[in-house]
Amino acid sequence: MILLEANNRIIEDTLTVKIKHALSSQKQNDQELDTRTRSITVADFDGVIYRVSNPESDKSKINISISLKFYKELEKHGSDKVLKREYGNYLVQPDDGFDVTIQIDLNNIPNDWEALVKKIGLLKRNCFAAVFEKYFDFQEAGEEGNAQAVVHYRDDETMYVEAKADRVTVIFSTIFKDADDIILGKVFMQEFKEGRKASATAPQVLFSNKEPPMGLKDTAARTGEGVGYITFVLFPRHTNRETRDNTIDLIHLFRNYLHYHLKCSKAYIHSRMRAKTSDFLKVLNRAKIDDENNKKKPSYIGKQPFL
């Protein structure tokens, strides 16, 4: 299976090109930096929008802004603190219509700019990280009874995070638009269960269809046809400070990871079906019986017999 990248490659590549161009201009003592408009809009998973642009008329600076429909919910769990820790003074007042903006001054590029670019490529991931870090800390401290985190990361889909003394439970609700997706989804979830048998360190994974799990009983969780719930039970070996970064990288993209592989599986099945159908048509064409009236008569028929 293919793991989706936690970073946004387009943002990283765009910034790398612009910064290299600025450094090259500075080495050549070229006082005129590239003044072309750097306004680029990039879509990401979960309805997230990035924009790379110049602030007002200042072409020597680049703003990288992100818009998340659910940012207010992340903000309640300390996303501002996490972003301040990761980006420090690069954070500026968000552009209109966006939730977070990072600014790079092309006249004052840091020596470790490549690391900065990689960190900016993880902007969406770092927004999500606040929720997980908060509840991982609750578990580490043995705190129980804290309110469950609810993040509506898509219009019809929700993520729930809850901490216990010995584990953190993460539940994703997702919508399967086709009946085929439900069947394939069950197959994928079964593979995750089998994976835990092969590796004792893997988290426990549970899957329920139509009805929410017990952890969401007496809540407003959706029910009905096409609604699925995937539950991850994360233990201290997944949430400790040495491994939590990797856990966050993987789990915050799980919904997209699942649906990506469902679409790939359906595309593969369809391609195999088309190939097999083509083979069957070739066999039928070879077995076709020629029409008796269209058979070519021997050349001697109708000629006068020899005397």
Side-chain angles (χ1 to χ4, degrees):
M1 294 186 180
I2 299 173
L3 293 177
L4 301 179
E5 293 182 336
N7 59 307
N8 189 296
R9 185 68 65 86
I10 298 176
I11 295 298
E12 289 186 8
D13 290 348
T14 301
L15 293 178
T16 299
V17 169
K18 298 303 180 184
I19 291 175
K20 284 184 176 180
H21 178 82
L23 291 174
S24 176
S25 298
Q26 291 173 7
K27 288 181 179 179
Q28 298 173 9
N29 294 322
D30 187 353
Q31 299 299 322
E32 294 185 3
L33 294 177
D34 181 12
T35 58
R36 292 175 296 176
T37 302
R38 298 182 178 85
S39 182
I40 301 172
T41 302
V42 180
D44 205 339
F45 293 116
D46 305 322
V48 174
I49 300 295
Y50 286 93
R51 188 179 72 182
V52 180
S53 61
N54 296 120
E56 299 176 357
S57 59
D58 190 350
K59 303 299 182 181
S60 65
K61 294 181 174 63
I62 299 178
N63 281 4
I64 304 93
S65 303
I66 187 171
S67 170
L68 303 94
K69 296 179 180 178
F70 47 91
Y71 186 77
K72 293 298 182 184
E73 296 175 343
L74 299 178
E75 207 170 23
K76 295 176 183 177
H77 299 285
S79 61
D80 289 344
K81 292 181 180 178
V82 173
L83 295 177
K84 185 66 176 176
R85 180 192 72 200
E86 295 293 328
Y87 302 106
N89 295 329
Y90 293 105
L91 287 172
V92 296
Q93 184 68 25
D95 290 345
D96 292 340
F98 291 86
D99 300 299
V100 180
T101 297
I102 297 170
Q103 188 174 96
I104 298 176
D105 187 351
L106 295 179
N107 292 325
N108 187 24
I109 300 172
N111 294 328
D112 60 341
W113 65 268
E114 292 178 333
L116 176 62
V117 166
K118 288 187 176 296
K119 193 176 288 188
I120 293 174
L122 293 168
L123 182 54
K124 178 195 168 189
R125 179 265 184 204
N126 289 331
C127 290
F128 260 107
V131 181
F132 296 108
E133 290 185 5
K134 177 181 177 180
Y135 283 82
F136 290 174
D137 289 342
F138 285 158
Q139 183 277 319
E140 188 176 49
E143 298 182 22
E144 292 192 33
N146 293 287
Q148 188 181 60
V150 181
V151 179
H152 299 86
Y153 63 98
R154 294 175 77 91
D155 292 339
D156 299 321
E157 301 179 0
T158 310
M159 180 183 73
Y160 306 86
V161 185
E162 185 177 17
K164 299 290 185 182
D166 60 342
R167 64 188 182 275
V168 175
T169 304
V170 182
I171 303 174
F172 291 92
S173 74
T174 187
I175 301 296
F176 297 107
K177 296 183 179 179
D178 299 326
D180 297 341
D181 290 351
I182 299 175
I183 298 172
L184 292 173
K186 288 180 179 179
V187 174
F188 270 86
M189 292 304 103
Q190 186 62 37
E191 286 297 318
F192 277 101
K193 291 181 180 180
E194 296 297 327
R196 192 163 189 266
K197 293 179 181 179
S199 175
T201 60
Q204 184 179 4
V205 183
L206 305 172
F207 176 72
S208 59
N209 186 33
K210 297 183 181 179
E211 295 294 333
M214 292 299 294
L216 300 180
K217 193 175 182 180
D218 301 326
T219 67
R222 294 187 59 168
T223 60
E225 194 68 36
V227 180
Y229 288 89
I230 303 100
T231 303
F232 285 87
V233 182
L234 305 176
F235 298 102
R237 59 178 174 269
H238 308 118
T239 62
N240 64 65
R241 298 188 181 276
E242 288 73 29
T243 60
R244 63 172 51 179
D245 285 342
N246 183 58
T247 300
I248 295 170
D249 289 347
L250 296 175
I251 201 166
H252 91 280
L253 282 172
F254 176 76
R255 185 268 174 200
N256 304 312
Y257 167 87
L258 173 63
H259 283 268
Y260 170 80
H261 282 88
L262 292 181
K263 290 179 173 62
C264 289
S265 297
K266 291 170 73 173
Y268 175 72
I269 292 170
H270 290 164
S271 67
R272 292 294 301 272
M273 290 170 63
R274 286 193 293 269
K276 184 58 68 175
T277 300
S278 179
D279 292 340
F280 285 153
L281 288 174
K282 291 177 182 178
V283 172
L284 289 174
N285 288 333
R286 289 197 299 269
K288 188 181 294 184
I289 300 175
D290 294 332
D291 188 353
E292 292 290 339
N293 296 326
N294 292 333
K295 284 185 177 180
K296 188 175 181 181
K297 296 180 180 180
S299 59
Y300 60 81
I301 294 179
K303 293 185 177 180
Q304 293 294 329
F306 291 103
L307 296 177

